[in-house]
Structures are given as structure tokens and as C-alpha cells.
Amino acid sequence: MKKRILSVLLVLAIFVTTFAATTTSSMAAPTCYQQGDSRWGGIYYGKWNIAASGCGILSTVNAVNYLTGRFIHPTEIASWAHANNHYNGTYGQGTVRWSMYGSMTAAFGSKYGFKITGCQGGGITSATLINHLRNGGAAIIHVPNHFMALCGYNAATGQYLVYDSSAAPK
């Protein structure tokens, strides 16, 4: 008998909600944008490019796109974040989650129709996280060395809709 182990570690959930009167039924299907996309993947901020270190940036793009149907160009977020030392700056490679997500609503929320309503640590089975997803929100999660967007939860199956910006779908 083989022993199967499933281990999921969620160290941070950032809740993203809409505040505009937006319905997904009237929009085209959301897209899971990828870090390595040739339109932005090779652009450098500091010592690293978006393809190598853009999961925090693209998770934001994906969560907002899923919620509102609006596209924030990854270079718009990356340029702002780098200029404010939230991304590929003096703190090293990637996104500085507490400062970037804490400032994100003020920088982009009114323009793109979203707000970040909270940050919490915890597990993937957190009632707060599941309720947020079931009520139409999205969450940006951080697992060791990687950010992803959770865009839905199916209570019947216990499955999450995950938008992973480095999954390289075909």
C-alpha cells in the first residue's frame, strides 16, 4: 500500500474584492496571464525580469481580471512597485508583499475597480478565505517562493480555482 501525502501550506492570503458594479456574466471569460508572456516577460526591474520574478505582479493582474474583467498591464504594476521598492528592489528578488499589497488599493483601486480588504495568515481551509471566495471575491496567496490567485471555491467538491502565472498552459 502506497502512502499518499497531500501538503498545502498557505502563509498569506490577500483578499481582493470589487467595489464597482461589475458582473462577470457580461464580460469575456477571464484569462490566466503568464509571467513568461513575450509581451512583458523579458522586461527587467532591478536584476530580475518579470518571467523570473513576476508571480506577485501577475497574481494581482489575474485576480483583478477575474473579478472585474479589466486588464492591468503587468508593466504598469511592476514599474510602480519597483519605483516604490515593493518589487525587485533593495529587499531582493520578487514582491515585498506587505508593502506592495498594503499600497495597491490606493495606487490602482479606483482606476481598475477593486480594493484589497485584508491580509491574513492561515491555512487553505480557513473559513474566512473560503467564505471570501464563495461570496465572489478572489485572493492572492503566497506559498513558499510563489504567489498565485485563488478565484473560486466549489463547496461540493472542495476544489479551488487557481490561476497560476507560471503554470505555462498550452
Side-chain angles (χ1 to χ4, degrees), residues 15-20 22-24 27 63-68 113-115 117 128-139 150-153 161:
F15 301 127
V16 183
T17 58
T18 59
F19 64 81
T22 308
T23 59
T24 54
M27 294 180 272
V64 171
N65 179 254
Y66 183 83
L67 289 173
T68 69
F114 74 94
K115 64 182 175 178
T117 58
T128 303
L129 173 63
I130 290 171
N131 287 334
H132 177 73
L133 295 170
R134 289 176 69 184
N135 289 320
L150 291 184
C151 298
Y153 176 74
L161 175 58

Side-chain angles (χ1 to χ4, degrees), residues 51-159:
S53 68
C55 59
I57 303 298
L58 271 294
S59 293
T60 304
V61 170
N62 286 331
V64 171
N65 179 254
Y66 183 83
L67 289 173
T68 69
R70 300 187 72 192
F71 174 73
I72 306 174
H73 201 285
T75 58
E76 184 178 1
I77 297 174
S79 294
W80 166 83
H82 184 69
N84 290 283
N85 204 28
H86 304 311
Y87 175 62
N88 288 348
T90 59
Y91 297 109
Q93 180 181 6
T95 300
V96 182
R97 60 183 166 249
W98 300 114
S99 65
M100 186 172 108
Y101 291 116
S103 304
M104 187 72 63
T105 299
F108 298 101
S110 62
K111 182 177 179 182
Y112 291 101
F114 74 94
K115 64 182 175 178
I116 294 175
T117 58
C119 297
Q120 78 169 45
I124 197 76
T125 58
S126 159
T128 303
L129 173 63
I130 290 171
N131 287 334
H132 177 73
L133 295 170
R134 289 176 69 184
N135 289 320
I140 298 166
I141 62 167
H142 185 258
V143 297
N145 300 313
H146 190 53
F147 289 92
M148 295 176 283
L150 291 184
C151 298
Y153 176 74
N154 183 324
T157 63
Q159 293 179 325

